[in-house]
Amino acid sequence: MKSDNRLANSFIVYVATVLFIAVGGLTTTQLHWLHAMQQPSWMPVDDIIATAWLILFLCVASSMSLFWNKSIHNKAFHYSIALYAGNAFLVLLWNFVFFGLHNLSASVWVAGFVSVVTIVLMVRVRKVITAAVLLVPYLAWLLFAMYVTQQIILLNP
């Protein structure tokens, strides 16, 4: 029975990740406005950015799956799962603000909020050490994205 629950959970995490990536991909198809702006010379190319996000989404999904499978399902557990869901929603919001609205300043604030939620999430899941560690590269990339966006803002007054 426990094996069936893990299989179902893994499938749910897989489907959620695929849907999350698909929604993100749909909102980032029009990059001409971003390429028209002056960008830092060290900014990664689009393919590297897309690959990094894919790997990071898989890390977050794996983190959630590990936490789900190794935790007691109590009130604290449900709060942590809600943080995972809230984090996913905030990343989609950032995606919309950055790529949809082209509002770089607001996207820095949203990314900052996503970073804070990620730190809170890391603290919440720390008893499942691998789940917390899988969020470290995600947090680092969020901070990097904030820095890149801030640099683009400075280069395009």
Side-chain angles (χ1 to χ4, degrees):
M1 184 70 160
K2 191 172 187 177
S3 177
D4 290 341
N5 287 340
R6 286 186 182 206
L7 180 61
N9 177 13
S10 296
F11 180 73
I12 290 167
V13 169
Y14 170 76
V15 170
T17 302
V18 169
L19 289 173
F20 192 69
I21 291 168
V23 170
L26 290 174
T27 60
T28 59
T29 56
Q30 302 292 326
L31 293 176
H32 60 277
W33 68 274
L34 182 59
H35 293 293
M37 292 184 178
Q38 193 172 5
Q39 299 176 8
S41 60
W42 44 264
M43 184 166 167
V45 296
D46 293 347
D47 289 344
I48 290 174
I49 293 171
T51 301
W53 276 115
L54 173 63
I55 291 167
L56 293 168
F57 289 153
L58 292 172
C59 285
V60 173
S62 297
S63 171
M64 186 178 91
S65 181
L66 282 168
F67 178 73
W68 184 290
N69 288 324
K70 295 184 183 240
S71 297
I72 298 169
H73 293 211
N74 56 17
K75 189 174 182 177
F77 165 83
H78 292 291
Y79 179 73
S80 297
I81 293 300
L83 279 174
Y84 277 108
N87 190 284
F89 171 78
L90 288 171
V91 169
L92 291 175
L93 176 63
W94 173 85
N95 207 330
F96 174 71
V97 170
F98 187 91
F99 292 108
L101 299 178
H102 306 170
N103 190 332
L104 301 180
S105 297
S107 74
V108 170
W109 286 100
V110 175
F113 192 59
V114 176
S115 299
V116 169
V117 170
T118 301
I119 292 167
V120 171
L121 185 55
M122 291 168 71
V123 170
R124 298 284 310 176
V125 304
R126 73 185 177 278
K127 290 181 181 176
V128 182
I129 190 80
T130 306
V133 169
L134 280 167
L135 296 173
V136 171
Y138 176 64
L139 176 62
W141 188 261
L142 288 168
L143 296 173
F144 176 70
M146 286 174 52
Y147 180 70
V148 168
T149 304
Q150 190 62 40
Q151 293 303 304
I152 293 171
I153 291 168
L154 293 174
L155 291 170
N156 297 279

